[in-house]
Amino acid sequence: MGSFKSSVFILVLHLLEGSLSNSLIQLNNNGYEGIVIAIDPNVPEDETLIQHIKDMVTQASPYLFEATEKRFYFKNVAILIPETWKTKPEYVRPKLETLKNADVLVAESNPPGNDEPYTEQMGNCGEKGERIHFTPDFIAGKKLPQYGPQGRAFVHEWAHLRWGVFDEYNNDQKFYLSNGKNKAVRCSAAITGKNAVNKCQGGSCVTTPCRPNRATGLYGKECEFIPDKEQMEKASIMFSQSINSVVSFCTEKNHNKEAPNLQNQKCNLRSTWEVIRDSEDFKITTPMTTQPPKPTFSLLQIGQRIVCLVLDKSGSMTSDNRLKRLNQAGRLFLLQTVEQGSWVGMVTFDSAAYVRSELVQINSGTERDALTKRLPTAASGGTSICTGLRSAFTVIKKKYPTDGSEIVLLTDGEDNTISACFNEVKQSGAIIHTVALGPSAAPELEELSKMTGGLQTYASDEAQNNGLMDAFGALSSGNGAVFQRSIQLESRGLTLQNNEWMNGTVIVDSTVGNDTLFLITWTAQSPQILLLDPSGKRQDSFTVDTNTKMAYLQIPGTAKVGIWNYSLQASSQTLTLTVTSRASSTTLPPVTVTSKMTKDTVKFPSPMVVYAKIHQGALPILRASVTALIESVNGKTFTLVLLDNGAGADATKDDGIYSRYFTAYDTNGRYSVKVWALGGVNMARQKKIPQQNGAMYIPGWIENGEIKWNPPRPEINKDDLQGKQVCFSRTSSGGSFVASNVPNAPIPDLFPPCRITDLKAKIQGDKLINLTWTAPGDDYDHGRAYKYIIGISTNILDLRDKFNESFQVNTTDLIPKEANSEEVFVFKPESITFENGTDLFIAIQAVDKVNLKSEISNIAQVSLFIPPQTPPETPSPSLPCPDININSTIPGIHILKIMWKWIGELHLSVALG
């Protein structure tokens, strides 16, 4: 098992060898090059923002250098400027840099007022993150009291992005019990401060002490740890880089292993510096002996999209209806996917290349229709991919430099001469998207995508899986604003017999509806088509092309919101339906689904993880139904339900990123991935800002012994959310990957249960411990484990490092449930003295039926707290009432004096008592 885990870890660490990250970052002589910081197209033009970005990186570089013991610094950064901003002589056209592959995105706060910097992290400990997010106000330094200097926060986020470490604070649990005492979740524990509550009402606030819950002993959620402004402690950047004295990461010497934070939970109690030290970056560098130079910057402005289709028309394209399917998918791209204003050219190739169209700007349907007529209709000859690419470069150069242009390369043929033009491809500055069609496409094809940051896709000859349509539908601009992009609502196919019907529904939600296209294809005869809009009105205006065997309907204006019903009837043939649309508004972000895998190459028995991110703007969409369809090179398909439960392959619960392990390999070769997402009545938007992996919001500071509070961390007001429509349907291509070392059937069981990452423990009743966790499977997060081993210890490191020697709980009656079910187990520690103030640490290991064991779970902690007994109330002594004759005629002033005298005696009596 040890060697297997090591091989998985090594695979994770490689950025460019198998990783699906499109980042252009490279580490060269200790300096990070190729960093892309993009300004979102929706950010209003503000030249000072560019200078603020430069200042942030320049400030961050020496801080990073010292924090990493003189190993790393920022060498050069490209700032990507929106097309809508004014052009300047110093702005040049990007090459491979795009909005889609940017490492840092500067975008308007969503919701307004939320300027929290954060990093998307889909993976687990040690795996690189996706992207850093900043807002213009944060970059401009308007949030200094809450997050500290921008350069320091950038280093905090960089550690998330580059090395896969996690935060050392916890907004959801700010305190924990250790030896019966409340301690703030922090790292290191030497950070000093006070615990306090800020109570505000009617515009005025008062500071009060934190009070423990009488039942649990823990401080309430309103209690905050307020750090001293002046500190001596140097660690840790992943707790709060905004503290002036903090200039380093926690090491194994000062790391707070007991703190219930994500770093401990995800990284098996390892400090952030230990994780960084295990990274590939660390292994290939040595400390510098001189100070690094300041970062340099290049200013790149996004321009018009330039695309050239390079399409295979060799003799093998006559097989399995490939040429017809190429025409159908090409029409989808030209009629719908490519954005208005783009320049498009076309080249076909066999053993030679043929220019079918010079660059034409898409201004209307006229240009789109003209280009569709240039798609190839006959196939013959051999396959020379480099010839096609060189011809495309020539076509582009007639009008524009090839820098930043795109080539969509489709081929089904073997060509062992592709490497002959690798250098030309690298020097061109063009991005190449590859579409491998059928089982025999050249195995080197994907290298063209890897070296240029392009999308790689694969489509089998199984037409009903609609893979070629999905591949071309995924080719929207990497630089366009979200409202310009084509969004795929549906992608279905079915082989029908004996006048059978293909029935279904498509949901057009309120965030889409512009430029909506219904496209139907068939393999023999035109089917009967019935399409009803949400009002029940039949839509009959399909354009039918019997030669290409397709029909399409463009809905004028904005399509009606609601459920569209379709019914297609045919016999002895395969039908497909593809529906695409665009955002209904330039201000309301549409619901989007993006999908990907962990790697683009995988060696058995390493698992693959499939991810689908579902968001509306920055807000995650929860409780959607998400399914991945994975198709192998031999046409076999596997269905995978993706989950956002924070267990198994899913790193974080309720962040709108759904994921699952894939282990059902059946052959070597290419696999394609498609994701279906459906939001229904159970779907929800996140109603509050979840803790994201990012710099901590400091609630306040202690200066000269006095607490100075910052404004409270903003929360989303659900009434501010636009668009209440909750039903939607989406499909998304996740590209493709290549599997190797898959043995012949029967495939051996080499997959252990996945690690349990959400173990929680609490005390209940008479020293009983209640455990909850999400069940792993027999193979990672699939199936059912055979048994559990539960270990307990009073020493957290002994439990981690000597789990097999720990006290073991009797689990005879604990039968594992199906993967992803909730497990609950209650036990009473028998082997350990469990007294008031005792800290107990618990971990679980799952075992499958062939005795493969999972990694040890995250370690849960309980601290036995016995509430102090409440002393019995003693009745106050009764005091004699003053002898007052109520019928007397004493003046009222005398009565008042007597009452005050009596009240004074009462106070004296209570005080003395």
Side-chain angles (χ1 to χ4, degrees):
M1 283 303 298
S3 61
F4 166 64
K5 291 172 187 171
S6 299
S7 65
V8 174
F9 184 65
I10 290 168
L11 276 169
V12 162
L13 290 174
H14 283 75
L15 175 65
L16 296 177
E17 296 177 18
S19 169
L20 259 186
S21 170
N22 287 326
S23 174
L24 304 175
I25 297 171
Q26 293 189 21
L27 181 58
N28 185 10
N29 293 328
N30 299 84
Y32 287 109
E33 302 177 330
I35 303 165
V36 179
I37 300 180
I39 300 172
D40 188 82
N42 289 329
V43 172
E45 185 166 356
D46 179 6
E47 281 188 46
T48 62
L49 186 58
I50 297 172
Q51 187 59 48
H52 289 317
I53 292 171
K54 290 181 178 181
D55 292 343
M56 176 184 73
V57 178
T58 303
Q59 179 192 86
S61 189
Y63 187 65
L64 175 69
F65 186 67
E66 296 301 327
T68 57
E69 299 180 354
K70 305 184 187 302
R71 279 184 181 270
F72 307 118
Y73 69 98
F74 297 122
K75 193 171 186 179
N76 64 56
V77 173
I79 300 176
L80 204 55
I81 299 164
E83 183 180 3
T84 53
W85 287 27
K86 292 175 186 174
T87 58
K88 285 192 158 192
E90 61 266 34
Y91 297 169
V92 298
R93 184 174 174 85
K95 291 187 177 181
L96 308 182
E97 302 89 352
T98 66
L99 193 66
K100 191 177 286 186
N101 67 18
D103 307 292
V104 181
L105 181 66
V106 180
E108 291 292 331
S109 59
N110 184 2
N114 175 29
D115 293 286
E116 187 169 301
Y118 70 95
T119 303
E120 289 181 66
Q121 285 181 271
M122 290 186 178
N124 283 302
C125 187
E127 298 182 32
K128 290 181 174 64
E130 300 299 305
R131 176 179 285 183
I132 297 169
H133 291 256
F134 293 130
T135 67
D137 279 357
F138 172 84
I139 293 283
K142 296 180 181 179
K143 302 296 174 181
L144 283 174
Q146 294 93 330
Y147 298 108
Q150 304 93 298
R152 285 172 163 241
F154 184 37
V155 172
H156 178 108
E157 302 309 329
W158 184 262
H160 285 306
L161 181 78
R162 189 67 187 177
W163 304 309
V165 298
F166 290 84
D167 291 322
E168 293 168 338
Y169 64 94
N170 188 343
N171 283 333
D172 297 324
Q173 184 184 341
K174 299 168 187 173
F175 296 88
Y176 65 101
L177 288 180
S178 178
N179 296 320
K181 296 180 179 179
N182 271 285
K183 291 190 177 181
V185 176
R186 64 193 190 275
C187 196
S188 80
I191 296 288
T192 61
K194 294 179 180 178
N195 308 323
V197 176
N198 190 26
K199 286 190 174 180
C200 298
Q201 189 173 7
S204 62
C205 298
V206 60
T207 299
T208 62
C210 296
R211 302 196 181 280
N213 182 293
R214 287 191 61 82
T216 66
L218 274 171
Y219 288 149
K221 287 187 176 181
E222 70 280 358
C223 182
E224 300 280 4
F225 173 74
I226 313 299
D228 290 314
K229 191 76 174 177
E230 300 300 324
Q231 302 269 352
M232 299 294 291
E233 177 60 31
K234 294 183 177 181
S236 168
I237 289 170
M238 300 314 292
F239 171 66
S240 178
Q241 78 296 324
S242 55
I243 295 173
N244 288 339
S245 66
V246 169
V247 292
S248 64
F249 295 96
C250 263
T251 68
E252 56 265 51
K253 293 180 181 178
N254 56 16
H255 178 58
N256 183 2
K257 299 174 181 64
E258 292 186 1
N261 54 37
L262 276 180
Q263 176 62 24
N264 280 328
Q265 180 181 339
K266 297 289 187 183
C267 297
N268 200 19
L269 309 182
R270 289 189 299 159
S271 67
T272 53
W273 187 243
E274 288 175 90
V275 177
I276 294 169
R277 209 168 52 202
D278 283 340
S279 71
E280 192 68 16
D281 288 355
F282 197 95
K283 292 174 183 176
I284 63 173
T285 54
T286 55
M288 293 174 63
T289 55
T290 59
Q291 287 296 309
K294 287 186 177 181
T296 59
F297 299 90
S298 52
L299 304 181
L300 313 178
Q301 186 166 31
I302 295 167
Q304 293 169 316
R305 190 181 189 192
I306 301 162
V307 190
C308 189
L309 298 175
V310 179
L311 308 174
D312 189 346
K313 61 169 285 295
S314 62
S316 56
M317 288 293 289
T318 58
S319 303
D320 294 290
N321 222 19
R322 289 175 192 162
L323 197 65
K324 281 279 192 291
R325 292 171 58 215
L326 162 60
N327 269 264
Q328 295 164 350
R331 276 171 163 74
L332 174 66
F333 178 80
L334 294 169
L335 292 173
Q336 179 74 357
T337 306
V338 70
E339 297 81 6
Q340 201 81 343
S342 303
W343 290 83
V344 181
M346 190 186 304
V347 168
T348 60
F349 70 93
D350 42 41
S351 52
Y354 314 89
V355 177
R356 299 287 296 172
S357 174
E358 302 290 352
L359 287 179
V360 174
Q361 188 170 28
I362 306 291
N363 293 316
S364 67
T366 303
E367 292 83 14
R368 295 180 185 272
D369 290 337
L371 282 164
T372 62
K373 293 180 172 63
R374 308 304 296 165
L375 291 163
T377 56
S380 63
T383 305
S384 177
I385 290 170
C386 284
T387 301
L389 291 175
R390 291 182 182 120
S391 181
F393 293 151
T394 302
V395 167
I396 294 167
K397 285 177 182 176
K398 286 182 181 179
K399 201 160 191 71
Y400 291 102
T402 51
D403 287 348
S405 63
E406 298 171 71
I407 289 174
V408 178
L409 171 63
L410 176 142
T411 183
D412 75 337
E414 295 183 9
D415 180 358
N416 56 14
T417 66
I418 296 181
S419 59
C421 57
F422 278 1
N423 284 335
E424 294 169 71
V425 168
K426 289 177 184 176
Q427 293 168 8
S428 72
I431 299 166
I432 299 183
H433 310 290
T434 56
V435 183
L437 178 57
S440 302
E444 302 86 0
L445 185 64
E446 282 83 2
E447 291 300 319
L448 295 168
S449 295
K450 288 180 191 177
M451 69 176 67
T452 64
L455 179 66
Q456 66 177 57
T457 54
Y458 159 69
S460 75
D461 288 325
E462 301 296 324
Q464 70 272 13
N465 292 334
N466 215 23
L468 203 52
M469 286 290 190
D470 297 332
F472 275 79
L475 294 169
S476 58
S477 171
N479 281 323
V482 67
F483 65 86
Q484 296 174 320
R485 296 177 198 157
S486 176
I487 298 171
Q488 195 162 288
L489 308 185
E490 182 63 288
S491 172
R492 296 276 178 180
L494 194 63
T495 299
L496 302 178
Q497 306 292 341
N498 303 323
N499 288 319
E500 291 178 322
W501 289 87
M502 174 176 157
N503 301 312
T505 59
V506 179
I507 301 172
V508 176
D509 59 276
S510 60
T511 70
V512 294
N514 284 351
D515 197 19
T516 303
L517 177 78
F518 285 78
L519 191 150
I520 296 162
T521 73
W522 56 89
T523 54
Q525 302 294 325
S526 301
Q528 182 176 334
I529 301 172
L530 177 63
L531 176 65
L532 303 177
D533 72 12
S535 67
K537 182 180 178 181
R538 181 167 181 168
Q539 304 293 309
D540 289 322
S541 303
F542 277 86
T543 299
V544 179
D545 186 338
T546 54
N547 184 45
T548 311
K549 297 181 179 177
M550 62 182 291
Y552 58 90
L553 171 66
Q554 204 104 30
I555 305 297
T558 303
K560 287 184 179 179
V561 172
I563 297 175
W564 293 64
N565 289 276
Y566 64 85
S567 295
L568 312 175
Q569 187 183 38
S571 291
S572 304
Q573 62 172 321
T574 299
L575 307 183
T576 73
L577 171 71
T578 306
V579 184
T580 60
S581 189
R582 298 188 199 276
S584 59
S585 166
T586 58
T587 56
L588 176 65
V591 174
T592 58
V593 177
T594 53
S595 49
K596 60 168 282 185
M597 293 86 61
T598 35
K599 302 178 279 287
D600 53 22
T601 58
V602 61
K603 288 184 179 180
F604 183 91
S606 178
M608 180 65 70
V609 179
V610 182
Y611 298 105
K613 177 184 174 183
I614 309 180
H615 276 222
Q616 184 181 5
L619 298 178
I621 300 295
L622 310 184
R623 296 197 294 278
S625 174
V626 187
T627 304
L629 183 72
I630 301 172
E631 182 183 7
S632 69
V633 70
N634 63 16
K636 187 175 180 180
T637 57
F638 308 87
T639 300
L640 201 61
V641 176
L642 308 186
L643 302 171
D644 185 16
N645 61 353
D650 193 59
T652 307
K653 184 177 181 179
D654 289 345
D655 64 349
I657 297 172
Y658 299 72
S659 49
R660 198 80 180 273
Y661 285 108
F662 172 73
T663 58
Y665 306 106
D666 71 325
T667 186
N668 291 308
R670 293 183 175 99
Y671 290 70
S672 67
V673 179
K674 173 163 68 177
V675 168
W676 283 311
L678 185 66
V681 292
N682 291 323
M683 188 276 284
R685 294 177 182 83
Q686 182 64 278
K687 290 294 191 287
K688 67 175 184 175
I689 303 171
Q691 178 172 333
Q692 296 162 313
N693 299 305
M696 180 168 70
Y697 190 102
I698 297 290
W701 296 97
I702 298 175
E703 296 184 60
N704 300 320
E706 181 184 348
I707 295 178
K708 295 186 177 180
W709 292 94
N710 286 323
R713 183 170 175 254
E715 296 286 345
I716 294 175
N717 183 348
K718 63 182 179 181
D719 297 327
D720 292 339
L721 290 171
Q722 300 183 65
K724 305 301 180 184
Q725 181 72 29
V726 295
C727 294
F728 70 89
S729 61
R730 299 286 188 272
T731 65
S732 169
S733 170
S736 63
F737 65 91
V738 178
S740 60
N741 286 8
V742 179
N744 295 326
I747 294 175
D749 181 359
L750 298 179
F751 300 110
C754 63
R755 177 177 182 248
I756 295 165
T757 59
D758 62 349
L759 177 65
K760 294 181 178 64
K762 63 181 180 180
I763 304 288
Q764 72 175 48
D766 182 21
K767 298 185 181 180
L768 293 174
I769 297 177
N770 179 293
L771 300 181
T772 58
W773 68 95
T774 301
D778 177 83
D779 296 338
Y780 288 93
D781 52 9
H782 299 273
R784 186 194 298 261
Y786 176 67
K787 67 177 181 178
Y788 293 117
I789 301 170
I790 300 178
I792 57 176
S793 175
T794 55
N795 185 298
I796 193 168
L797 286 184
D798 282 352
L799 184 62
R800 183 190 71 175
D801 300 333
K802 303 173 185 177
F803 180 79
N804 292 334
E805 300 173 22
S806 65
F807 293 105
Q808 307 242 320
V809 177
N810 185 345
T811 57
T812 305
D813 297 329
L814 177 56
I815 308 300
K817 295 180 181 177
E818 194 72 19
N820 299 299
S821 303
E822 183 186 17
E823 297 274 27
V824 179
F825 183 65
V826 180
F827 72 97
K828 189 170 187 176
E830 302 290 351
S831 309
I832 293 179
T833 303
F834 202 30
E835 299 173 339
N836 193 19
T838 300
D839 297 328
L840 193 62
F841 304 98
I842 308 156
I844 300 183
Q845 191 174 45
V847 185
D848 73 6
K849 59 182 178 293
V850 295
N851 208 37
L852 293 175
K853 296 178 180 179
S854 72
E855 295 180 60
I856 307 301
S857 72
N858 67 294
I859 296 178
Q861 175 184 355
V862 290
S863 186
L864 184 59
F865 174 79
I866 300 175
Q869 290 188 348
T870 305
E873 292 186 10
T874 56
S876 300
S878 57
L879 298 175
C881 291
D883 188 12
I884 299 175
N885 184 351
I886 60 172
N887 295 319
S888 70
T889 57
I890 301 174
I893 186 70
H894 291 171
I895 296 175
L896 189 60
K897 284 181 179 179
I898 292 170
M899 291 191 68
W900 276 116
K901 180 174 180 291
W902 175 68
I903 291 171
E905 290 174 349
L906 174 63
H907 275 288
L908 179 62
S909 172
V910 172
L912 292 175

